[in-house]
Amino acid sequence: MCGIVGYVGQRPSNLSTRPVDVALQGLARLEYRGYDSAGVAVLEDDGVRIAKKEGKLKNLRDALDGEEVSASAVAIGHTRWATHGAPTDGNAHPHLGGKDDELALVHNGIIENFAPLRAELESEGFVFRSETDSEVAAHLVAREMSLTGDLTTAMRAAVNQLEGAFTLLAVHRLSPDRVVAARRNSPLVVGLGEGENFLGSDVAAFVDNTREALEVGQDQIVTVTADDVVISDFSGTEITEQKRYTIEWDVAAAQKGGYDSFMAKEIHEQATAVADTLLGRIDSGALHLDEMSIDESVLRSVDKIVVVACGTAANAGSVAKYAIEHWCRIPTEVELAHEFRYRDPVVTEKTLVVAISQSGETMDTLMAMRHAQEQGAKVVAICNTHGSTIPREADAALYLHVGPEIAVASTKAYLGQITACYLLGLYLAQVRGNLFPDEIAALMEDLEQLPTHVQTVLDGAAEVEELARSMKDAASVLFLGRHVGYPTAMEGALKLKEIAYIHAEGFAAGELKHGPIALVEEGQPVFVIVPSPRGRDSLHSKVVSNIQEIRARGARTLVIAEDGDDDVLPYSDVVLRVPRTRTLFAPLLTIIPLQIFSCELATAKGLDVDQPRNLAKSVTVE
Ligand code: F6R
């Protein structure tokens, strides 16, 4: 939610990239975080200069085209997901601060006490030109700078007056060699170069330029010059133990690689994504989770698991519930993170909380996890983004290793999350002795087959794409599933809503006759995820009956069934096949046709698949 970049450095003149170009390059990588407006600020000889435009980054680039921008050493940039104030040029960042516009600032997050601060600053003669909460921070830092003359001290004095969540980056006319940044409950990382340094909301901001990064902790201030990075806390104590790491993602991972969209590319990376999540964690049939830094005795005492997550990550958690309860016999709840802490949940020292988040920055999930920790619960984070807040604050972190997910709609991270949940479930079963070693080995052997099966489904993409193109004018699509097919139905519907803007709903197939069947009329398309005929009890035949029930009422039945399941043929208008696997592993396969369907349908409608309206990749506000 909002992307922030900062750059300090003087590139050799044979490199045409000026600081403003480095900032624009970083913004292009971060645009998935928000695209309501974009802006940059540079320091020129006569002061701070800003350029900002409503809409996507292209508008800013067009506005800057042909403009003379100085080659000063410092630039900051921002791509916005609007919270306070409409997405207009005026509300775009950077904001100027001070009575002589001597400072520029960008902000990610929400400043909760902006109203009294704004009133105070206005009474002192500071002039506000936007409706944003962020402009308060610009004037505050500028005011403190006029008192202290040191940008770091000014930033510290300002952040100590702010309530809420923020990452701030500021540049000032009187400190032309530096960018000063601060973070509280909002992401910020430092990129380390040779004679140049970078700041970003995440590493994508600078991965084109360096793969060496530095974590910035909660409530810390960073002062970045071309040759130095100094980190201190909000009380002024310097942080000497800095956490440096090398980014594994390469630049190619942040490019489309011949696909029309990042989403299409990421869908087609899913066989590798599952393989990479499993990599190094299975050895001769035994499961190794070195990063599970929670004591085994604590894991043995767990009497309840609560998964907290949002959106797609919550759907991955719903799959986890079926697997963990089945393998470990531990009651498992899945709770939308934003609902969790407000209902006074029962959490004890014996509760294990699993926080699932691709970005590792989702504020709702972070707050839910902190609430659980305050009650004494241990938290395992399942995340994709290294150095992000959720895994850093968790008691243990399982990383997905699926590479950067750029498209706003989550796909490969979903498969990675489900795979990581399987690993966690099997690990708990191993530690607690719920399954025999040979049972775990057999399960893991089957799990290792999944990348091949995922590839088989991907190889059949053309058939699904043709179906999607033929349905581009659909007004509503329903999705039905049962058992682990239910989260798949929810996720399939979410994908279609968010990128194709089509009304879509996922239902538990058994719930149909309790109300939703009233929606079915002649020609209504309904995807049905059919469980394996070799699966539990009579689930398969019940779902086949559901297909008959909706077809009798005119539904167009689009059926996802495993290879060889011919029972569905008489009642299906379309059958999409997935390879055979264990029932609990099927969600890794059955979602793929639905992802391809949404992606292709949105493309056929001419929509921006990677940057759907009103959304942002990383939701860092509550
Ligand atoms: C949907 C989607 C969102 C995210 C949700 C949680 O395609 O991407 O629903 O899954 O906002 O995000 P993370 O996983 O970053 O916490």
Side-chain angles (χ1 to χ4, degrees), residues 185-225:
N185 287 339
S186 203
L188 178 67
V189 279
V190 177
L192 301 167
E194 295 281 326
E196 56 181 3
N197 288 307
F198 307 80
L199 288 154
S201 300
D202 64 51
V203 298
F206 47 75
V207 75
D208 293 271
N209 297 294
T210 180
R211 291 170 63 185
E212 290 305 306
L214 205 58
E215 285 185 3
V216 182
Q218 172 76 337
D219 287 359
Q220 291 185 350
I221 293 179
V222 197
T223 304
V224 177
T225 58

mmCIF file of all heavy atoms in Angstrom, residues 185-225:
data_model
loop_
_atom_site.group_PDB
_atom_site.id
_atom_site.type_symbol
_atom_site.label_atom_id
_atom_site.label_comp_id
_atom_site.label_asym_id
_atom_site.label_seq_id
_atom_site.Cartn_x
_atom_site.Cartn_y
_atom_site.Cartn_z
ATOM 1 N N ASN A 185 5.423 0.552 12.045
ATOM 2 C CA ASN A 185 4.315 -0.273 11.535
ATOM 3 C C ASN A 185 4.102 -0.162 10.039
ATOM 4 O O ASN A 185 2.980 -0.311 9.550
ATOM 5 C CB ASN A 185 3.001 0.093 12.246
ATOM 6 C CG ASN A 185 2.981 -0.402 13.658
ATOM 7 O OD1 ASN A 185 3.721 -1.315 14.005
ATOM 8 N ND2 ASN A 185 2.158 0.203 14.486
ATOM 9 N N SER A 186 5.116 0.136 9.326
ATOM 10 C CA SER A 186 4.996 0.271 7.878
ATOM 11 C C SER A 186 6.374 -0.088 7.309
ATOM 12 O O SER A 186 7.386 0.190 7.949
ATOM 13 C CB SER A 186 4.620 1.720 7.588
ATOM 14 O OG SER A 186 4.002 1.835 6.353
ATOM 15 N N PRO A 187 6.441 -0.688 6.118
ATOM 16 C CA PRO A 187 7.721 -1.267 5.698
ATOM 17 C C PRO A 187 8.773 -0.282 5.192
ATOM 18 O O PRO A 187 8.432 0.758 4.636
ATOM 19 C CB PRO A 187 7.312 -2.208 4.569
ATOM 20 C CG PRO A 187 6.030 -1.668 4.061
ATOM 21 C CD PRO A 187 5.344 -1.004 5.201
ATOM 22 N N LEU A 188 10.031 -0.652 5.376
ATOM 23 C CA LEU A 188 11.160 0.125 4.861
ATOM 24 C C LEU A 188 12.409 -0.752 4.872
ATOM 25 O O LEU A 188 12.717 -1.393 5.877
ATOM 26 C CB LEU A 188 11.407 1.356 5.745
ATOM 27 C CG LEU A 188 12.594 2.239 5.338
ATOM 28 C CD1 LEU A 188 12.332 2.912 3.996
ATOM 29 C CD2 LEU A 188 12.854 3.320 6.396
ATOM 30 N N VAL A 189 13.108 -0.797 3.739
ATOM 31 C CA VAL A 189 14.392 -1.500 3.687
ATOM 32 C C VAL A 189 15.428 -0.594 3.028
ATOM 33 O O VAL A 189 15.078 0.298 2.259
ATOM 34 C CB VAL A 189 14.319 -2.839 2.905
ATOM 35 C CG1 VAL A 189 13.771 -3.959 3.753
ATOM 36 C CG2 VAL A 189 13.499 -2.702 1.638
ATOM 37 N N VAL A 190 16.697 -0.870 3.329
ATOM 38 C CA VAL A 190 17.791 -0.088 2.761
ATOM 39 C C VAL A 190 18.524 -0.975 1.754
ATOM 40 O O VAL A 190 18.776 -2.153 2.027
ATOM 41 C CB VAL A 190 18.775 0.343 3.872
ATOM 42 C CG1 VAL A 190 19.963 1.096 3.279
ATOM 43 C CG2 VAL A 190 18.075 1.200 4.909
ATOM 44 N N GLY A 191 18.870 -0.427 0.611
ATOM 45 C CA GLY A 191 19.713 -1.126 -0.373
ATOM 46 C C GLY A 191 21.107 -0.512 -0.337
ATOM 47 O O GLY A 191 21.246 0.716 -0.351
ATOM 48 N N LEU A 192 22.119 -1.369 -0.293
ATOM 49 C CA LEU A 192 23.492 -0.870 -0.131
ATOM 50 C C LEU A 192 24.245 -0.976 -1.443
ATOM 51 O O LEU A 192 24.419 -2.075 -1.987
ATOM 52 C CB LEU A 192 24.208 -1.696 0.942
ATOM 53 C CG LEU A 192 23.532 -1.677 2.322
ATOM 54 C CD1 LEU A 192 24.132 -2.752 3.210
ATOM 55 C CD2 LEU A 192 23.662 -0.311 2.963
ATOM 56 N N GLY A 193 24.697 0.148 -1.982
ATOM 57 C CA GLY A 193 25.464 0.133 -3.229
ATOM 58 C C GLY A 193 26.878 0.619 -3.003
ATOM 59 O O GLY A 193 27.314 0.836 -1.870
ATOM 60 N N GLU A 194 27.619 0.770 -4.108
ATOM 61 C CA GLU A 194 28.988 1.310 -4.046
ATOM 62 C C GLU A 194 28.904 2.804 -4.313
ATOM 63 O O GLU A 194 28.590 3.206 -5.439
ATOM 64 C CB GLU A 194 29.841 0.677 -5.149
ATOM 65 C CG GLU A 194 30.052 -0.816 -5.007
ATOM 66 C CD GLU A 194 31.120 -1.129 -3.970
ATOM 67 O OE1 GLU A 194 32.079 -0.339 -3.869
ATOM 68 O OE2 GLU A 194 30.975 -2.129 -3.259
ATOM 69 N N GLY A 195 29.113 3.597 -3.305
ATOM 70 C CA GLY A 195 29.011 5.043 -3.482
ATOM 71 C C GLY A 195 27.599 5.515 -3.737
ATOM 72 O O GLY A 195 27.360 6.625 -4.214
ATOM 73 N N GLU A 196 26.647 4.681 -3.434
ATOM 74 C CA GLU A 196 25.242 5.052 -3.565
ATOM 75 C C GLU A 196 24.426 4.141 -2.654
ATOM 76 O O GLU A 196 24.813 2.993 -2.415
ATOM 77 C CB GLU A 196 24.758 4.925 -5.013
ATOM 78 C CG GLU A 196 24.961 3.545 -5.609
ATOM 79 C CD GLU A 196 24.505 3.440 -7.067
ATOM 80 O OE1 GLU A 196 24.074 4.447 -7.652
ATOM 81 O OE2 GLU A 196 24.572 2.328 -7.606
ATOM 82 N N ASN A 197 23.338 4.658 -2.138
ATOM 83 C CA ASN A 197 22.479 3.856 -1.284
ATOM 84 C C ASN A 197 21.018 4.128 -1.626
ATOM 85 O O ASN A 197 20.687 5.155 -2.209
ATOM 86 C CB ASN A 197 22.762 4.159 0.194
ATOM 87 C CG ASN A 197 24.102 3.574 0.639
ATOM 88 O OD1 ASN A 197 24.356 2.388 0.453
ATOM 89 N ND2 ASN A 197 24.974 4.414 1.195
ATOM 90 N N PHE A 198 20.173 3.173 -1.239
ATOM 91 C CA PHE A 198 18.780 3.197 -1.674
ATOM 92 C C PHE A 198 17.863 2.970 -0.473
ATOM 93 O O PHE A 198 18.258 2.344 0.513
ATOM 94 C CB PHE A 198 18.519 2.067 -2.671
ATOM 95 C CG PHE A 198 19.463 2.031 -3.832
ATOM 96 C CD1 PHE A 198 20.741 1.466 -3.698
ATOM 97 C CD2 PHE A 198 19.104 2.566 -5.054
ATOM 98 C CE1 PHE A 198 21.616 1.433 -4.766
ATOM 99 C CE2 PHE A 198 19.981 2.535 -6.130
ATOM 100 C CZ PHE A 198 21.235 1.970 -5.988
ATOM 101 N N LEU A 199 16.630 3.439 -0.626
ATOM 102 C CA LEU A 199 15.592 3.116 0.342
ATOM 103 C C LEU A 199 14.379 2.621 -0.445
ATOM 104 O O LEU A 199 14.143 3.084 -1.563
ATOM 105 C CB LEU A 199 15.193 4.356 1.143
ATOM 106 C CG LEU A 199 16.233 4.850 2.157
ATOM 107 C CD1 LEU A 199 16.062 6.342 2.403
ATOM 108 C CD2 LEU A 199 16.099 4.079 3.468
ATOM 109 N N GLY A 200 13.623 1.708 0.130
ATOM 110 C CA GLY A 200 12.442 1.229 -0.589
ATOM 111 C C GLY A 200 11.438 0.616 0.359
ATOM 112 O O GLY A 200 11.795 0.175 1.457
ATOM 113 N N SER A 201 10.178 0.594 -0.074
ATOM 114 C CA SER A 201 9.157 -0.111 0.708
ATOM 115 C C SER A 201 9.452 -1.595 0.723
ATOM 116 O O SER A 201 9.141 -2.294 1.676
ATOM 117 C CB SER A 201 7.776 0.085 0.088
ATOM 118 O OG SER A 201 7.446 1.425 0.055
ATOM 119 N N ASP A 202 9.986 -2.089 -0.383
ATOM 120 C CA ASP A 202 10.517 -3.447 -0.373
ATOM 121 C C ASP A 202 11.676 -3.513 -1.356
ATOM 122 O O ASP A 202 11.946 -2.532 -2.067
ATOM 123 C CB ASP A 202 9.427 -4.505 -0.623
ATOM 124 C CG ASP A 202 8.788 -4.406 -1.991
ATOM 125 O OD1 ASP A 202 9.524 -4.356 -2.982
ATOM 126 O OD2 ASP A 202 7.544 -4.401 -2.054
ATOM 127 N N VAL A 203 12.329 -4.644 -1.392
ATOM 128 C CA VAL A 203 13.588 -4.724 -2.136
ATOM 129 C C VAL A 203 13.405 -4.554 -3.639
ATOM 130 O O VAL A 203 14.359 -4.214 -4.348
ATOM 131 C CB VAL A 203 14.338 -6.045 -1.835
ATOM 132 C CG1 VAL A 203 14.698 -6.126 -0.368
ATOM 133 C CG2 VAL A 203 13.525 -7.255 -2.276
ATOM 134 N N ALA A 204 12.159 -4.761 -4.123
ATOM 135 C CA ALA A 204 11.916 -4.574 -5.561
ATOM 136 C C ALA A 204 12.320 -3.168 -5.993
ATOM 137 O O ALA A 204 12.726 -2.955 -7.137
ATOM 138 C CB ALA A 204 10.443 -4.813 -5.877
ATOM 139 N N ALA A 205 12.272 -2.211 -5.061
ATOM 140 C CA ALA A 205 12.592 -0.815 -5.388
ATOM 141 C C ALA A 205 14.012 -0.658 -5.905
ATOM 142 O O ALA A 205 14.285 0.231 -6.695
ATOM 143 C CB ALA A 205 12.394 0.066 -4.151
ATOM 144 N N PHE A 206 14.922 -1.516 -5.478
ATOM 145 C CA PHE A 206 16.322 -1.312 -5.876
ATOM 146 C C PHE A 206 17.016 -2.570 -6.390
ATOM 147 O O PHE A 206 18.213 -2.578 -6.602
ATOM 148 C CB PHE A 206 17.131 -0.688 -4.727
ATOM 149 C CG PHE A 206 16.927 -1.341 -3.381
ATOM 150 C CD1 PHE A 206 17.500 -2.557 -3.090
ATOM 151 C CD2 PHE A 206 16.174 -0.706 -2.396
ATOM 152 C CE1 PHE A 206 17.318 -3.155 -1.850
ATOM 153 C CE2 PHE A 206 15.989 -1.295 -1.149
ATOM 154 C CZ PHE A 206 16.565 -2.522 -0.873
ATOM 155 N N VAL A 207 16.237 -3.628 -6.618
ATOM 156 C CA VAL A 207 16.875 -4.896 -6.999
ATOM 157 C C VAL A 207 17.594 -4.786 -8.348
ATOM 158 O O VAL A 207 18.517 -5.560 -8.643
ATOM 159 C CB VAL A 207 15.837 -6.053 -6.955
ATOM 160 C CG1 VAL A 207 14.895 -5.994 -8.140
ATOM 161 C CG2 VAL A 207 16.511 -7.397 -6.844
ATOM 162 N N ASP A 208 17.239 -3.788 -9.174
ATOM 163 C CA ASP A 208 17.974 -3.568 -10.429
ATOM 164 C C ASP A 208 19.396 -3.097 -10.159
ATOM 165 O O ASP A 208 20.268 -3.209 -11.016
ATOM 166 C CB ASP A 208 17.290 -2.472 -11.251
ATOM 167 C CG ASP A 208 15.933 -2.898 -11.735
ATOM 168 O OD1 ASP A 208 15.849 -3.470 -12.811
ATOM 169 O OD2 ASP A 208 14.948 -2.663 -11.003
ATOM 170 N N ASN A 209 19.625 -2.512 -8.993
ATOM 171 C CA ASN A 209 20.902 -1.845 -8.729
ATOM 172 C C ASN A 209 21.777 -2.536 -7.702
ATOM 173 O O ASN A 209 22.995 -2.441 -7.757
ATOM 174 C CB ASN A 209 20.635 -0.415 -8.258
ATOM 175 C CG ASN A 209 19.957 0.396 -9.340
ATOM 176 O OD1 ASN A 209 20.560 0.658 -10.379
ATOM 177 N ND2 ASN A 209 18.706 0.766 -9.129
ATOM 178 N N THR A 210 21.161 -3.175 -6.742
ATOM 179 C CA THR A 210 21.969 -3.879 -5.736
ATOM 180 C C THR A 210 21.159 -5.008 -5.133
ATOM 181 O O THR A 210 19.924 -4.938 -5.080
ATOM 182 C CB THR A 210 22.430 -2.949 -4.609
ATOM 183 O OG1 THR A 210 23.212 -3.709 -3.687
ATOM 184 C CG2 THR A 210 21.271 -2.327 -3.841
ATOM 185 N N ARG A 211 21.856 -6.034 -4.676
ATOM 186 C CA ARG A 211 21.161 -7.133 -4.003
ATOM 187 C C ARG A 211 21.574 -7.233 -2.546
ATOM 188 O O ARG A 211 21.205 -8.184 -1.857
ATOM 189 C CB ARG A 211 21.398 -8.434 -4.755
ATOM 190 C CG ARG A 211 20.660 -8.328 -6.098
ATOM 191 C CD ARG A 211 20.950 -9.395 -7.063
ATOM 192 N NE ARG A 211 20.539 -10.692 -6.596
ATOM 193 C CZ ARG A 211 20.787 -11.802 -7.270
ATOM 194 N NH1 ARG A 211 21.424 -11.740 -8.419
ATOM 195 N NH2 ARG A 211 20.412 -12.960 -6.799
ATOM 196 N N GLU A 212 22.316 -6.224 -2.098
ATOM 197 C CA GLU A 212 22.691 -6.185 -0.679
ATOM 198 C C GLU A 212 21.692 -5.278 0.054
ATOM 199 O O GLU A 212 21.468 -4.136 -0.374
ATOM 200 C CB GLU A 212 24.097 -5.609 -0.511
ATOM 201 C CG GLU A 212 25.189 -6.524 -1.017
ATOM 202 C CD GLU A 212 25.113 -7.908 -0.379
ATOM 203 O OE1 GLU A 212 25.106 -7.985 0.863
ATOM 204 O OE2 GLU A 212 25.034 -8.908 -1.114
ATOM 205 N N ALA A 213 21.115 -5.787 1.114
ATOM 206 C CA ALA A 213 20.072 -5.009 1.796
ATOM 207 C C ALA A 213 20.278 -5.025 3.303
ATOM 208 O O ALA A 213 21.011 -5.856 3.849
ATOM 209 C CB ALA A 213 18.706 -5.582 1.456
ATOM 210 N N LEU A 214 19.621 -4.074 3.928
ATOM 211 C CA LEU A 214 19.714 -3.899 5.379
ATOM 212 C C LEU A 214 18.294 -3.773 5.920
ATOM 213 O O LEU A 214 17.497 -3.003 5.380
ATOM 214 C CB LEU A 214 20.458 -2.583 5.616
ATOM 215 C CG LEU A 214 21.216 -2.360 6.899
ATOM 216 C CD1 LEU A 214 22.274 -3.438 7.083
ATOM 217 C CD2 LEU A 214 21.887 -0.987 6.833
ATOM 218 N N GLU A 215 17.983 -4.531 6.965
ATOM 219 C CA GLU A 215 16.654 -4.415 7.562
ATOM 220 C C GLU A 215 16.571 -3.157 8.411
ATOM 221 O O GLU A 215 17.548 -2.771 9.053
ATOM 222 C CB GLU A 215 16.383 -5.616 8.469
ATOM 223 C CG GLU A 215 16.077 -6.873 7.712
ATOM 224 C CD GLU A 215 15.686 -8.021 8.641
ATOM 225 O OE1 GLU A 215 15.597 -7.814 9.870
ATOM 226 O OE2 GLU A 215 15.487 -9.121 8.113
ATOM 227 N N VAL A 216 15.421 -2.559 8.439
ATOM 228 C CA VAL A 216 15.185 -1.430 9.344
ATOM 229 C C VAL A 216 14.097 -1.873 10.319
ATOM 230 O O VAL A 216 13.036 -2.338 9.896
ATOM 231 C CB VAL A 216 14.705 -0.178 8.567
ATOM 232 C CG1 VAL A 216 14.511 0.991 9.525
ATOM 233 C CG2 VAL A 216 15.693 0.192 7.476
ATOM 234 N N GLY A 217 14.370 -1.760 11.607
ATOM 235 C CA GLY A 217 13.434 -2.257 12.614
ATOM 236 C C GLY A 217 12.309 -1.276 12.893
ATOM 237 O O GLY A 217 12.295 -0.142 12.412
ATOM 238 N N GLN A 218 11.394 -1.744 13.700
ATOM 239 C CA GLN A 218 10.262 -0.924 14.146
ATOM 240 C C GLN A 218 10.774 0.300 14.920
ATOM 241 O O GLN A 218 11.732 0.188 15.682
ATOM 242 C CB GLN A 218 9.404 -1.842 15.039
ATOM 243 C CG GLN A 218 8.293 -1.208 15.773
ATOM 244 C CD GLN A 218 7.118 -0.925 14.837
ATOM 245 O OE1 GLN A 218 7.270 -0.820 13.622
ATOM 246 N NE2 GLN A 218 5.957 -0.781 15.410
ATOM 247 N N ASP A 219 10.166 1.427 14.706
ATOM 248 C CA ASP A 219 10.502 2.663 15.412
ATOM 249 C C ASP A 219 11.983 3.023 15.254
ATOM 250 O O ASP A 219 12.691 3.287 16.231
ATOM 251 C CB ASP A 219 10.151 2.559 16.907
ATOM 252 C CG ASP A 219 8.653 2.626 17.123
ATOM 253 O OD1 ASP A 219 7.912 2.772 16.137
ATOM 254 O OD2 ASP A 219 8.222 2.536 18.274
ATOM 255 N N GLN A 220 12.430 3.010 14.011
ATOM 256 C CA GLN A 220 13.833 3.382 13.755
ATOM 257 C C GLN A 220 13.909 4.490 12.697
ATOM 258 O O GLN A 220 13.009 4.637 11.870
ATOM 259 C CB GLN A 220 14.644 2.164 13.315
ATOM 260 C CG GLN A 220 14.816 1.163 14.460
ATOM 261 C CD GLN A 220 15.706 -0.013 14.125
ATOM 262 O OE1 GLN A 220 16.084 -0.230 12.984
ATOM 263 N NE2 GLN A 220 16.034 -0.790 15.156
ATOM 264 N N ILE A 221 15.013 5.223 12.779
ATOM 265 C CA ILE A 221 15.266 6.317 11.840
ATOM 266 C C ILE A 221 16.541 5.995 11.077
ATOM 267 O O ILE A 221 17.518 5.526 11.658
ATOM 268 C CB ILE A 221 15.414 7.647 12.613
ATOM 269 C CG1 ILE A 221 14.051 7.995 13.226
ATOM 270 C CG2 ILE A 221 15.924 8.771 11.713
ATOM 271 C CD1 ILE A 221 14.025 9.252 14.029
ATOM 272 N N VAL A 222 16.529 6.216 9.768
ATOM 273 C CA VAL A 222 17.698 5.908 8.949
ATOM 274 C C VAL A 222 18.152 7.184 8.255
ATOM 275 O O VAL A 222 17.348 7.864 7.614
ATOM 276 C CB VAL A 222 17.353 4.908 7.819
ATOM 277 C CG1 VAL A 222 18.626 4.293 7.269
ATOM 278 C CG2 VAL A 222 16.416 3.855 8.295
ATOM 279 N N THR A 223 19.431 7.456 8.373
ATOM 280 C CA THR A 223 20.002 8.592 7.653
ATOM 281 C C THR A 223 20.919 8.035 6.582
ATOM 282 O O THR A 223 21.896 7.331 6.879
ATOM 283 C CB THR A 223 20.795 9.484 8.633
ATOM 284 O OG1 THR A 223 19.905 9.869 9.681
ATOM 285 C CG2 THR A 223 21.324 10.728 7.928
ATOM 286 N N VAL A 224 20.581 8.306 5.331
ATOM 287 C CA VAL A 224 21.292 7.695 4.219
ATOM 288 C C VAL A 224 22.025 8.767 3.418
ATOM 289 O O VAL A 224 21.418 9.729 2.949
ATOM 290 C CB VAL A 224 20.302 6.948 3.298
ATOM 291 C CG1 VAL A 224 21.020 6.372 2.090
ATOM 292 C CG2 VAL A 224 19.609 5.843 4.054
ATOM 293 N N THR A 225 23.341 8.610 3.297
ATOM 294 C CA THR A 225 24.125 9.427 2.372
ATOM 295 C C THR A 225 24.727 8.466 1.338
ATOM 296 O O THR A 225 24.505 7.256 1.417
ATOM 297 C CB THR A 225 25.246 10.191 3.107
ATOM 298 O OG1 THR A 225 26.060 9.226 3.771
ATOM 299 C CG2 THR A 225 24.697 11.178 4.118
#
